[in-house]
Amino acid sequence: MNIHACKHTERSSLLSFASAVSAPPSNWTSLDCCRWKGITCNQDGWVTHLLLPSKGLKGVDLSSNHFFGAIPSSFFQQASNLTSFNVSNNTFTGEVFQLQVFRAGHNNLSGLLPEDIYNATKLEEIALPLSSLHGAISDKIVNLTNLAILDLYINQLSGKLPLNLGKLSKLKFVTLDFNNLEGALPPSLMNCTNLVELRLGSNNLEGDISMLDFSRLNQLAKLDLRVNNFTGTFPVSLYSCRSLKAIRLTGNNLVGQIQAEILSLKSLSFLSLGFNQFTNLTGAMKILMSCKSLALMLSGSFKDEGMPTDNDMVDFDGFQNLRVLCLVGNRLTGQLPVWLSKLHNLKILLLSGNEITGPIPSWLGTLPRLFYINLSENRFSGEFPKQLCRLPRLVYEPNITSQVDHISNEFELPFYFSTITRNPNYYLSSKISSYPATIDLSNNNIVGDIPIEVGQLQLLRGLVLHSNNFSGVIPDQISNLKNLEVLNLSMNHLSGIIPSSLASLTFLKEFMSHTIISKDQYQQALSSKASTLLPLRGIQNFVVRPLPNKCGRPNKGIDEDNKKNNKDMDNGLHQLPWFYISSIVLGFIVGFWGWLPSTGVKCLESSQALK
């Protein structure tokens, strides 16, 4: 047996590579690719070197591999005819050297943008995102008159944007998010009339943006200036940019009110203005309800106003295709108005961090496309409405052929979870379907039992009910929720034991419940790590402490009441010390649940503007 014989996958990859270049090596025909000219393998048959000098190859693309080390400058000196070099998604390190077209994102490239790059006058694209480049973008960039794409997001670039950046008249896509850029936007940028996307979020930019004239940017479709230090009002000149689909000005210092002229933006489908100092929410909603299709994020603005009432929204027939409504952290007062029940295309409703009162209305369970609800940190009272357990999108799979669902499954800009922050770790998907089906009613005044009908929500991935006044036992029907990943029932008045049927929830990653158990039961759980009390896998941080008299909300007599209710659970158990499960955390939260804090699910954009 030839220990040098190449792996089948290696041979297939090399043949695919050969088929993609203009002049494939003619002798790559034998079964053993380790014997091909230009190929070197190790003792295990894995290809370690590829040497094909002076072959006149065209079309080389090295992205999404496992290449590492520095890119030698000699490579580019000898590759005099190279016009495109794509090495994205590898683990290259070191400094960047001059290229004509360069895509090398998702690497560990460091250093400054090299001076030589500003002499490559035929350069059309610089794409070096998610690296460690630092320093300023030189004023010499104006030499690159053919540049159409400048993509340097998530680096450590600093300084001001070049004053004459507007000389790059062919610029279409500028993405400089998550850097340390400062100063004002150069007025010359408004001369880049071919701009389609301008994304400068999470920097330290400043200035009065209402003084900028965006009116010449007829092609502009997406504008993202979130989390900077801009001042002024909503730029009136943006109303002339008739191609605009997405505007995000979240996390700045803007003031004023939304004007009716915004309706001239007929293609607008994504509007995020949260964490500014805008006023008159009711007026804004009256205007915006005329938009044909919209994802609307107004969190952290319009502080201490009232929820727009049914009287305010009289003759309501708007928001026909409103996909997202996010009003988190506004301290809004009032009750949930009935006009919300007409939002038949609403998918995500986020109203946490307000002062909304009254019961949770039963009509909320009739919205046909709603799958993500966060009403936490309000003053809702009454019981958990059973109708909420019939939400169509949580009971059965959506019709994938539905035209509305198909058209609106993409956000025009990606959402950011939890907080408005400069941290790129909060960068998430732009697909609506990527967000986990959730009901979060935590931190309210909801009473009564958890309804057994909750077991109907087959597609639910997160049920967060902590910090309420629920009583009774944990319903065994929760074990029907086979997709459940997070279950938080802590800080309530629940009694009894945790149903053993929860062991069937194979996707459960976090379970938190404040439940009374006996010392024997606790010791059994510790010894077996999968007892009848809680037979779940991967138990970590099983914290037990003596039962307090008060927990969270005032609860007079809970210690005595629980002892009385459980006296007959088992022979002699009433004579043993009682313990309190502080938290049971199963494994580590992964994927989209990584952001889930102990206080519940926060808004997709927002809970507090952090500068």
Side-chain angles (χ1 to χ4, degrees):
M1 180 178 178
N2 185 355
I3 61 173
H4 292 286
C6 72
K7 302 288 187 182
H8 174 72
T9 54
E10 300 290 88
R11 187 177 189 276
S12 298
S13 296
L14 288 171
L15 289 175
S16 297
F17 164 75
S19 66
V21 297
S22 58
S26 59
N27 68 330
W28 285 12
T29 56
S30 64
L31 290 177
D32 188 359
C33 68
C34 292
R35 299 183 182 275
W36 293 352
K37 186 175 181 179
I39 303 298
T40 302
C41 298
N42 62 16
Q43 294 293 316
D44 297 320
W46 296 104
V47 175
T48 58
H49 291 80
L50 178 64
L51 186 62
L52 299 172
S54 303
K55 298 294 184 182
L57 300 178
K58 295 181 180 179
V60 179
D61 184 340
L62 303 178
S63 62
S64 300
N65 281 289
H66 300 286
F67 295 115
F68 60 91
I71 303 174
S73 58
S74 59
F75 173 86
F76 303 114
Q77 294 168 0
Q78 297 173 20
S80 57
N81 294 320
L82 185 68
T83 59
S84 179
F85 186 54
N86 188 352
V87 292
S88 301
N89 291 309
N90 285 284
T91 54
F92 286 114
T93 59
E95 297 185 352
V96 180
F97 298 91
Q98 178 182 343
L99 290 173
Q100 290 181 326
V101 174
F102 191 19
R103 262 182 230 163
H106 302 258
N107 283 293
N108 295 316
L109 300 172
S110 61
L112 305 171
L113 280 171
E115 287 293 315
D116 289 347
I117 205 169
Y118 301 117
N119 298 323
T121 56
K122 293 183 180 180
L123 192 65
E124 296 180 2
E125 178 177 352
I126 300 175
L128 303 171
L130 290 104
S131 293
S132 300
L133 301 173
H134 64 267
I137 300 174
S138 171
D139 291 337
K140 295 179 182 178
I141 198 172
V142 299
N143 296 335
L144 308 180
T145 55
N146 289 301
L147 193 65
I149 298 174
L150 180 61
D151 185 1
L152 299 171
Y153 77 92
I154 306 186
N155 275 284
Q156 300 170 23
L157 299 173
S158 59
K160 297 181 179 181
L161 289 171
L163 188 61
N164 294 316
L165 193 61
K167 290 185 177 180
L168 302 180
S169 59
K170 294 184 179 180
L171 272 179
K172 291 184 177 180
F173 301 92
V174 176
T175 309
L176 298 173
D177 307 64
F178 294 111
N179 279 286
N180 299 308
L181 301 172
E182 57 188 30
L185 290 183
S188 69
L189 186 61
M190 303 301 115
N191 296 328
C192 299
T193 56
N194 289 302
L195 269 177
V196 176
E197 292 188 21
L198 179 60
R199 296 168 63 170
L200 302 173
S202 296
N203 281 285
N204 296 303
L205 299 168
E206 59 187 15
D208 186 343
I209 59 171
S210 59
M211 302 300 293
L212 294 172
D213 185 6
F214 291 89
S215 61
R216 297 184 60 198
L217 306 184
N218 296 322
Q219 308 299 316
L220 189 63
K222 299 179 182 181
L223 175 66
D224 191 350
L225 303 179
R226 71 180 185 284
V227 195
N228 278 287
N229 300 307
F230 292 116
T231 58
T233 59
F234 187 97
V236 175
S237 58
L238 280 179
Y239 300 140
S240 301
C241 303
R242 302 303 170 87
S243 298
L244 267 173
K245 296 180 180 179
I247 302 173
R248 177 155 52 198
L249 303 177
T250 307
N252 283 285
N253 299 302
L254 305 181
V255 298
Q257 301 185 17
I258 306 302
Q259 303 297 323
E261 288 85 349
I262 199 171
L263 297 179
S264 62
L265 304 178
K266 303 297 184 183
S267 299
L268 187 65
S269 55
F270 185 104
L271 181 62
S272 179
L273 303 177
F275 298 102
N276 284 284
Q277 300 173 41
F278 292 115
T279 58
N280 192 5
L281 175 61
T282 296
M285 298 296 276
K286 284 183 177 181
I287 293 169
L288 294 171
M289 73 176 182
S290 297
C291 294
K292 292 183 178 179
S293 179
L294 198 60
L296 182 60
M297 283 70 70
L298 301 178
S299 297
S301 291
F302 309 99
K303 289 289 185 68
D304 301 308
E305 297 187 15
M307 277 290 293
T309 66
D310 294 313
N311 289 332
D312 294 326
M313 308 291 280
V314 66
D315 299 324
F316 177 85
D317 60 354
F319 287 131
Q320 294 305 307
N321 289 312
L322 185 68
R323 298 171 292 164
V324 177
L325 179 59
C326 185
L327 295 171
V328 169
N330 293 356
R331 300 198 299 263
L332 301 176
T333 58
Q335 298 188 0
L336 283 187
V338 177
W339 62 265
L340 289 175
S341 67
K342 300 179 181 180
L343 303 179
H344 296 301
N345 289 310
L346 189 68
K347 299 185 176 185
I348 297 175
L349 177 63
L350 302 157
L351 297 175
S352 64
N354 287 293
E355 301 290 332
I356 303 174
T357 58
I360 297 174
S362 59
W363 50 254
L364 199 60
T366 67
L367 296 178
R369 291 184 173 85
L370 187 64
F371 71 91
Y372 195 118
I373 304 171
N374 189 341
L375 304 181
S376 65
E377 300 178 54
N378 277 282
R379 296 186 178 182
F380 287 108
S381 57
E383 297 187 346
F384 188 117
K386 294 180 180 179
Q387 293 85 349
L388 200 59
C389 301
R390 302 187 190 120
L391 270 169
R393 276 292 304 272
L394 299 183
V395 173
Y396 57 83
E397 293 283 357
N399 182 359
I400 60 175
T401 62
S402 169
Q403 183 178 11
V404 174
D405 282 339
H406 176 70
I407 291 175
S408 59
N409 194 40
E410 291 277 348
F411 292 123
E412 288 67 27
L413 291 170
F415 265 2
Y416 294 80
F417 267 101
S418 186
T419 55
I420 295 301
T421 175
R422 302 185 193 281
N423 187 344
N425 292 328
Y426 289 102
Y427 178 90
L428 287 176
S429 174
S430 59
K431 289 182 178 294
I432 294 180
S433 59
S434 297
Y435 295 93
T438 298
I439 295 178
D440 186 347
L441 307 181
S442 62
N443 281 287
N444 281 288
N445 298 308
I446 303 172
V447 300
D449 294 341
I450 299 173
I452 61 174
E453 289 82 0
V454 75
Q456 299 171 177
L457 301 172
Q458 297 288 320
L459 303 180
L460 194 66
R461 292 172 59 189
L463 180 61
V464 185
L465 303 178
H466 72 82
S467 304
N468 278 288
N469 292 307
F470 285 107
S471 57
V473 299
I474 299 175
D476 187 67
Q477 288 78 5
I478 287 180
S479 63
N480 295 332
L481 307 182
K482 303 303 183 184
N483 293 295
L484 198 65
E485 297 179 25
V486 170
L487 175 61
N488 193 338
L489 307 178
S490 63
M491 305 298 288
N492 280 289
H493 309 318
L494 299 172
S495 58
I497 64 172
I498 300 172
S500 60
S501 60
L502 294 187
S504 63
L505 299 180
T506 55
F507 288 99
L508 193 63
K509 296 184 177 71
E510 178 174 313
F511 175 42
M512 301 186 73
S513 173
H514 288 189
T515 304
I516 306 303
I517 63 172
S518 73
K519 181 179 180 181
D520 282 355
Q521 289 172 317
Y522 164 61
Q523 290 174 340
Q524 183 184 9
L526 287 185
S527 61
S528 67
K529 295 187 179 179
S531 70
T532 56
L533 172 68
L534 188 65
L536 295 174
R537 300 169 186 165
I539 294 178
Q540 297 182 12
N541 301 328
F542 192 101
V543 181
V544 178
R545 65 171 179 259
L547 177 68
N549 289 327
K550 295 183 179 181
C551 179
R553 303 177 186 278
N555 186 22
K556 184 177 181 180
I558 185 174
D559 201 3
E560 290 75 13
D561 290 343
N562 276 307
K563 286 182 180 179
K564 180 179 179 181
N565 292 337
N566 289 278
K567 273 187 177 181
D568 298 324
M569 281 180 58
D570 203 352
N571 290 334
L573 288 184
H574 65 284
Q575 299 176 359
L576 298 174
W578 289 92
F579 288 82
Y580 191 82
I581 299 180
S582 172
S583 65
I584 302 171
V585 182
L586 306 178
F588 292 97
I589 308 305
V590 296
F592 286 110
W593 291 108
W595 48 267
L596 184 73
S598 60
T599 55
V601 181
K602 299 298 181 185
C603 173
L604 309 176
E605 268 294 349
S606 54
S607 92
Q608 181 180 356
L610 299 180
K611 298 290 179 162

